[in-house]
Amino acid sequence: MKPYALTPAQAAVAILPPHTPGRHEQPAVLPIRTAGEFMAGETLADEPLLELHTQTCKSCSRKFVARFPGFCDDCFEKEVERVQVRNTTAVALKTFPERARQVTQKMRGPSLEKAKAIMPLLRSNQGAQLIVIGDRWTGKTVMATWWAQMLGFGLYTKAYDLFASVRHTYHEDSKLREHEVLDRFRKADFLVIDEAQERKESDWENTLLTNLIDKRYDALKPTVIIANLKQDALDAALGPSIVRRVAETGGIIECTWPPYGQ
Ligand SMILES: Nc1ncnc2c1ncn2[C@@H]1O[C@H](COP(=O)(O)OP(=O)(O)O)[C@@H](O)[C@H]1O
Ligand SMILES: [Mg+2]
Ligand SMILES: [Zn+2]
Protein backbone atom coordinates (compact mmCIF):
# COMPACT_ATOMS: atom_id res chain seq x y z
CA MET A 1 0.00 0.00 0.00
CA LYS A 2 2.69 2.46 1.02
CA PRO A 3 4.77 3.77 -1.85
CA TYR A 4 7.99 3.58 0.18
CA ALA A 5 10.06 0.46 0.69
CA LEU A 6 12.16 0.68 3.84
CA THR A 7 15.71 -0.66 3.82
CA PRO A 8 16.60 -3.16 6.58
CA ALA A 9 18.30 -0.35 8.52
CA GLN A 10 15.13 1.75 8.31
CA ALA A 11 12.91 -1.18 9.25
CA ALA A 12 15.05 -1.81 12.32
CA VAL A 13 14.45 1.77 13.39
CA ALA A 14 10.72 1.47 12.88
CA ILE A 15 10.33 -1.07 15.69
CA LEU A 16 11.77 1.15 18.41
CA PRO A 17 9.17 1.96 21.09
CA PRO A 18 7.29 5.20 20.41
CA HIS A 19 8.24 8.27 22.39
CA THR A 20 5.71 9.32 25.01
CA PRO A 21 4.75 12.96 24.50
CA GLY A 22 5.66 15.27 27.36
CA ARG A 23 3.60 18.05 28.83
CA HIS A 24 4.77 20.61 26.28
CA GLU A 25 1.47 20.63 24.45
CA GLN A 26 1.74 24.16 23.14
CA PRO A 27 1.15 25.41 19.64
CA ALA A 28 4.21 25.09 17.45
CA VAL A 29 6.16 28.23 16.65
CA LEU A 30 8.86 28.01 14.06
CA PRO A 31 12.09 29.56 15.33
CA ILE A 32 14.18 30.27 12.28
CA ARG A 33 17.60 31.90 12.63
CA THR A 34 20.93 31.60 11.00
CA ALA A 35 24.05 30.59 12.88
CA GLY A 36 25.37 34.09 12.23
CA GLU A 37 22.32 35.66 13.80
CA PHE A 38 22.65 33.86 17.06
CA MET A 39 26.29 34.72 17.37
CA ALA A 40 25.10 38.31 17.53
CA GLY A 41 24.48 38.15 21.23
CA GLU A 42 20.92 38.01 22.50
CA THR A 43 19.67 35.25 24.72
CA LEU A 44 17.77 32.37 23.22
CA ALA A 45 16.60 30.70 26.39
CA ASP A 46 12.94 31.71 26.24
CA GLU A 47 12.38 30.76 22.63
CA PRO A 48 9.95 27.91 22.21
CA LEU A 49 11.29 24.84 20.48
CA LEU A 50 9.24 22.22 18.76
CA GLU A 51 8.52 19.13 20.82
CA LEU A 52 6.15 16.26 20.22
CA HIS A 53 2.62 17.62 20.09
CA THR A 54 -0.85 16.40 19.47
CA GLN A 55 -1.38 17.81 15.99
CA THR A 56 -4.50 18.20 13.90
CA CYS A 57 -4.15 17.09 10.29
CA LYS A 58 -4.61 20.02 7.92
CA SER A 59 -6.29 17.78 5.39
CA CYS A 60 -8.49 15.22 7.22
CA SER A 61 -8.58 16.87 10.68
CA ARG A 62 -7.55 13.64 12.41
CA LYS A 63 -5.42 14.02 15.56
CA PHE A 64 -1.92 12.60 15.55
CA VAL A 65 1.16 12.86 17.75
CA ALA A 66 4.22 14.12 15.95
CA ARG A 67 7.00 16.60 16.10
CA PHE A 68 6.17 18.26 12.83
CA PRO A 69 2.79 19.93 12.29
CA GLY A 70 0.78 19.65 9.12
CA PHE A 71 -0.46 16.33 7.81
CA CYS A 72 -1.09 12.90 9.29
CA ASP A 73 0.95 10.05 7.80
CA ASP A 74 -1.70 9.09 5.24
CA CYS A 75 -2.30 12.62 4.02
CA PHE A 76 1.41 13.39 4.10
CA GLU A 77 2.13 10.62 1.60
CA LYS A 78 -0.32 12.18 -0.82
CA GLU A 79 1.22 15.55 -0.13
CA VAL A 80 4.72 14.30 -0.98
CA GLU A 81 3.40 13.43 -4.42
CA ARG A 82 2.16 16.99 -4.80
CA VAL A 83 5.60 18.47 -4.20
CA GLN A 84 5.13 21.59 -6.26
CA VAL A 85 1.98 22.61 -4.43
CA ARG A 86 3.56 22.27 -1.03
CA ASN A 87 6.81 23.99 -1.88
CA THR A 88 5.09 27.14 -3.00
CA THR A 89 3.35 27.36 0.37
CA ALA A 90 6.35 26.17 2.41
CA VAL A 91 7.62 28.32 5.22
CA ALA A 92 10.75 30.24 4.32
CA LEU A 93 13.58 28.15 5.67
CA LYS A 94 15.91 31.05 6.05
CA THR A 95 18.95 29.15 7.24
CA PHE A 96 19.01 27.03 4.06
CA PRO A 97 20.96 28.27 1.02
CA GLU A 98 18.83 30.36 -1.30
CA ARG A 99 20.33 28.50 -4.29
CA ALA A 100 19.08 25.17 -2.99
CA ARG A 101 15.68 26.58 -1.99
CA GLN A 102 15.08 27.66 -5.56
CA VAL A 103 15.96 24.25 -7.00
CA THR A 104 13.60 22.25 -4.76
CA GLN A 105 10.65 23.49 -6.78
CA LYS A 106 11.91 21.92 -9.98
CA MET A 107 13.60 18.84 -8.60
CA ARG A 108 13.64 15.78 -10.81
CA GLY A 109 15.53 12.53 -11.31
CA PRO A 110 17.30 10.19 -8.87
CA SER A 111 17.82 12.65 -6.03
CA LEU A 112 14.08 13.39 -5.89
CA GLU A 113 13.32 9.66 -5.80
CA LYS A 114 15.87 9.15 -3.04
CA ALA A 115 14.59 12.15 -1.09
CA LYS A 116 11.04 10.76 -1.22
CA ALA A 117 12.20 7.30 -0.12
CA ILE A 118 13.94 8.68 2.96
CA MET A 119 11.13 11.08 3.93
CA PRO A 120 9.11 8.63 6.10
CA LEU A 121 12.21 7.82 8.11
CA LEU A 122 12.84 11.49 8.90
CA ARG A 123 9.21 12.00 9.83
CA SER A 124 8.99 8.89 11.97
CA ASN A 125 9.86 10.49 15.35
CA GLN A 126 12.50 7.79 15.77
CA GLY A 127 15.46 10.14 15.68
CA ALA A 128 17.08 9.02 12.45
CA GLN A 129 20.69 10.12 12.20
CA LEU A 130 21.75 10.03 8.54
CA ILE A 131 24.89 10.65 6.55
CA VAL A 132 24.55 11.68 2.92
CA ILE A 133 27.70 11.25 0.83
CA GLY A 134 28.52 11.72 -2.82
CA ASP A 135 30.35 13.81 -5.37
CA ARG A 136 29.75 17.51 -5.89
CA TRP A 137 26.56 18.45 -7.77
CA THR A 138 24.72 15.23 -7.04
CA GLY A 139 22.07 17.32 -5.30
CA LYS A 140 22.87 16.59 -1.65
CA THR A 141 22.20 20.09 -0.35
CA VAL A 142 19.04 20.33 -2.44
CA MET A 143 17.74 17.04 -1.00
CA ALA A 144 18.29 18.23 2.56
CA THR A 145 16.53 21.51 1.77
CA TRP A 146 13.59 19.61 0.30
CA TRP A 147 13.33 17.48 3.46
CA ALA A 148 13.22 20.62 5.58
CA GLN A 149 10.53 22.10 3.34
CA MET A 150 8.46 18.94 3.54
CA LEU A 151 8.84 18.82 7.33
CA GLY A 152 8.10 22.53 7.56
CA PHE A 153 11.13 23.05 9.76
CA GLY A 154 14.87 22.79 9.67
CA LEU A 155 18.06 24.39 10.90
CA TYR A 156 20.91 24.41 8.39
CA THR A 157 24.57 24.93 9.16
CA LYS A 158 27.82 24.18 7.49
CA ALA A 159 30.07 22.17 9.79
CA TYR A 160 32.64 24.94 9.74
CA ASP A 161 30.10 27.52 10.95
CA LEU A 162 28.83 25.23 13.68
CA PHE A 163 32.29 24.90 15.20
CA ALA A 164 33.08 28.58 14.62
CA SER A 165 29.93 29.68 16.46
CA VAL A 166 30.78 27.45 19.44
CA ARG A 167 34.41 28.59 19.46
CA HIS A 168 33.22 32.20 19.37
CA THR A 169 31.59 31.78 22.79
CA TYR A 170 35.04 31.24 24.35
CA HIS A 171 35.95 34.86 23.65
CA GLU A 172 35.41 37.09 26.63
CA ASP A 173 33.31 39.57 24.62
CA SER A 174 30.82 36.84 23.66
CA LYS A 175 27.33 37.48 25.03
CA LEU A 176 26.36 33.86 24.58
CA ARG A 177 27.60 30.89 26.55
CA GLU A 178 28.72 27.71 24.86
CA HIS A 179 25.69 25.76 26.05
CA GLU A 180 23.29 28.36 24.64
CA VAL A 181 24.75 27.95 21.18
CA LEU A 182 24.93 24.18 21.49
CA ASP A 183 21.34 23.95 22.73
CA ARG A 184 20.25 25.56 19.53
CA PHE A 185 21.76 22.72 17.52
CA ARG A 186 20.73 20.06 20.03
CA LYS A 187 17.11 21.09 20.17
CA ALA A 188 16.39 21.92 16.54
CA ASP A 189 13.76 19.47 15.41
CA PHE A 190 15.57 18.83 12.17
CA LEU A 191 19.25 19.67 11.81
CA VAL A 192 21.34 19.61 8.65
CA ILE A 193 25.14 19.78 8.95
CA ASP A 194 26.52 20.36 5.47
CA GLU A 195 30.07 20.23 4.11
CA ALA A 196 31.19 18.01 6.98
CA GLN A 197 34.46 17.32 5.20
CA GLU A 198 35.45 20.99 5.44
CA ARG A 199 36.81 21.22 8.92
CA LYS A 200 39.84 20.44 11.02
CA GLU A 201 39.54 16.89 12.23
CA SER A 202 40.57 17.85 15.75
CA ASP A 203 39.67 15.90 18.88
CA TRP A 204 37.72 18.90 20.14
CA GLU A 205 35.55 19.00 17.03
CA ASN A 206 35.05 15.24 16.97
CA THR A 207 34.01 15.17 20.63
CA LEU A 208 31.62 18.05 20.14
CA LEU A 209 30.05 16.50 17.05
CA THR A 210 29.78 13.06 18.65
CA ASN A 211 28.12 14.56 21.70
CA LEU A 212 25.72 16.59 19.55
CA ILE A 213 24.67 13.53 17.55
CA ASP A 214 24.32 11.53 20.76
CA LYS A 215 22.05 14.13 22.35
CA ARG A 216 19.90 14.33 19.24
CA TYR A 217 19.73 10.55 19.07
CA ASP A 218 18.59 10.43 22.70
CA ALA A 219 15.97 13.11 22.05
CA LEU A 220 14.73 11.31 18.90
CA LYS A 221 15.49 14.31 16.70
CA PRO A 222 16.50 13.64 13.10
CA THR A 223 19.84 14.89 11.79
CA VAL A 224 21.41 14.82 8.35
CA ILE A 225 25.18 15.12 7.97
CA ILE A 226 26.32 15.81 4.40
CA ALA A 227 29.85 15.16 3.22
CA ASN A 228 31.62 15.10 -0.09
CA LEU A 229 33.47 11.92 0.88
CA LYS A 230 33.70 8.26 0.04
CA GLN A 231 32.33 5.77 2.54
CA ASP A 232 35.77 4.45 3.50
CA ALA A 233 36.87 7.97 4.47
CA LEU A 234 33.96 8.54 6.88
CA ASP A 235 35.47 6.92 9.98
CA ALA A 236 38.53 9.11 9.73
CA ALA A 237 36.53 12.26 8.96
CA LEU A 238 33.67 11.97 11.46
CA GLY A 239 34.96 9.49 14.01
CA PRO A 240 33.85 5.86 14.35
CA SER A 241 31.21 6.45 17.02
CA ILE A 242 29.16 8.80 14.82
CA VAL A 243 29.36 6.38 11.93
CA ARG A 244 28.23 3.55 14.23
CA ARG A 245 25.32 5.60 15.57
CA VAL A 246 24.25 6.45 12.05
CA ALA A 247 24.45 2.83 10.93
CA GLU A 248 22.16 1.97 13.85
CA THR A 249 19.42 4.50 13.23
CA GLY A 250 19.31 5.64 9.68
CA GLY A 251 22.20 4.73 7.55
CA ILE A 252 24.52 6.16 4.99
CA ILE A 253 22.89 7.43 1.83
CA GLU A 254 25.20 7.32 -1.16
CA CYS A 255 24.47 9.61 -4.06
CA THR A 256 25.97 7.48 -6.80
CA TRP A 257 24.12 9.02 -9.74
CA PRO A 258 25.80 11.39 -12.22
CA PRO A 259 26.03 15.03 -11.18
CA TYR A 260 23.22 17.38 -12.24
CA GLY A 261 24.02 20.15 -14.65
CA GLN A 262 26.85 19.57 -17.13
N1 LIG B 1 16.88 17.03 -8.22
C1 LIG B 1 17.44 17.94 -9.02
N2 LIG B 1 16.88 18.25 -10.20
C2 LIG B 1 17.45 19.15 -11.00
N3 LIG B 1 18.59 19.81 -10.74
C3 LIG B 1 19.20 19.55 -9.59
C4 LIG B 1 18.65 18.61 -8.66
N4 LIG B 1 19.49 18.53 -7.60
C5 LIG B 1 20.49 19.39 -7.85
N5 LIG B 1 20.33 20.01 -9.04
C6 LIG B 1 21.26 21.00 -9.64
O1 LIG B 1 22.56 20.72 -9.17
C7 LIG B 1 23.08 21.83 -8.47
C8 LIG B 1 23.89 21.38 -7.28
O2 LIG B 1 23.07 20.78 -6.30
P1 LIG B 1 23.58 20.68 -4.81
O3 LIG B 1 22.48 20.13 -3.98
O4 LIG B 1 24.17 21.96 -4.38
O5 LIG B 1 24.74 19.58 -4.97
P2 LIG B 1 25.75 19.05 -3.87
O6 LIG B 1 25.31 19.59 -2.55
O7 LIG B 1 25.65 17.54 -3.95
O8 LIG B 1 27.10 19.52 -4.28
C9 LIG B 1 21.89 22.68 -8.10
O9 LIG B 1 22.21 24.04 -7.96
C10 LIG B 1 20.96 22.43 -9.26
O10 LIG B 1 21.32 23.26 -10.35
MG1 LIG C 1 26.24 20.87 -1.20
ZN1 LIG D 1 -4.86 13.44 7.42
Side-chain angles (χ1 to χ4, degrees):
M1 207 59 178
K2 308 218 161 172
Y4 311 111
L6 294 184
T7 66
Q10 293 169 354
V13 174
I15 58 170
L16 287 172
H19 182 79
T20 311
R23 59 196 161 78
H24 311 282
E25 305 277 328
Q26 63 210 352
V29 178
L30 301 177
I32 295 166
R33 292 281 188 75
T34 66
E37 277 174 287
F38 54 81
M39 281 165 65
E42 90 255 55
T43 129
L44 305 164
D46 52 352
E47 249 183 58
L49 293 154
L50 294 179
E51 296 295 340
L52 285 168
H53 295 290
T54 302
Q55 317 273 6
T56 305
C57 177
K58 280 203 271 186
S59 175
C60 71
S61 300
R62 230 183 314 170
K63 301 272 185 216
F64 62 102
V65 175
R67 199 176 299 289
F68 301 100
F71 300 91
C72 72
D73 281 352
D74 290 344
C75 296
F76 188 80
E77 280 179 10
K78 288 174 214 143
E79 201 62 20
V80 168
E81 297 307 320
R82 292 164 42 209
V83 176
Q84 253 66 9
V85 180
R86 178 154 166 95
N87 278 347
T88 53
T89 58
V91 283
L93 293 160
K94 279 193 268 177
T95 57
F96 283 77
E98 179 62 32
R99 176 195 298 277
R101 277 156 54 194
Q102 286 181 8
V103 179
T104 55
Q105 295 176 46
K106 44 179 200 245
M107 264 175 94
R108 56 181 169 76
S111 85
L112 178 60
E113 292 316 307
K114 183 63 92 179
K116 284 184 184 178
I118 300 298
M119 194 68 236
L121 183 63
L122 290 175
R123 233 177 89 83
S124 67
N125 290 329
Q126 306 291 353
Q129 310 295 312
L130 302 176
I131 296 176
V132 179
I133 54 173
D135 290 339
R136 296 228 164 272
W137 280 72
T138 46
K140 301 182 295 299
T141 302
V142 169
M143 274 166 66
T145 304
W146 186 82
W147 287 326
Q149 287 182 339
M150 296 308 292
L151 293 170
F153 179 84
L155 179 64
Y156 173 95
T157 182
K158 293 185 198 291
Y160 181 91
D161 295 332
L162 189 159
F163 296 115
S165 63
V166 176
R167 229 181 268 117
H168 182 81
T169 63
Y170 304 158
H171 289 263
E172 50 186 56
D173 61 345
S174 171
K175 296 204 182 72
L176 284 181
R177 305 267 198 83
E178 180 188 27
H179 74 90
E180 292 174 292
V181 169
L182 275 176
D183 271 1
R184 193 77 189 151
F185 296 111
R186 284 176 182 158
K187 292 180 177 172
D189 277 290
F190 175 52
L191 177 67
V192 175
I193 304 172
D194 203 354
E195 307 287 358
Q197 77 285 349
E198 305 239 329
R199 54 185 199 85
K200 309 186 204 98
E201 284 150 27
S202 70
D203 285 349
W204 177 80
E205 290 191 354
N206 284 349
T207 306
L208 193 146
L209 194 60
T210 303
N211 183 262
L212 175 61
I213 296 300
D214 231 53
K215 289 265 170 24
R216 296 185 56 79
Y217 168 85
D218 286 347
L220 300 172
K221 307 225 176 193
T223 313
V224 170
I225 301 173
I226 305 175
N228 177 19
L229 290 170
K230 298 272 178 273
Q231 186 150 1
D232 55 13
L234 282 179
D235 266 13
L238 300 176
S241 55
I242 289 184
V243 177
R244 219 179 310 119
R245 187 64 96 204
V246 164
E248 241 175 77
T249 66
I252 296 167
I253 300 161
E254 282 189 271
C255 304
T256 51
W257 48 83
Y260 285 90
Q262 299 86 342

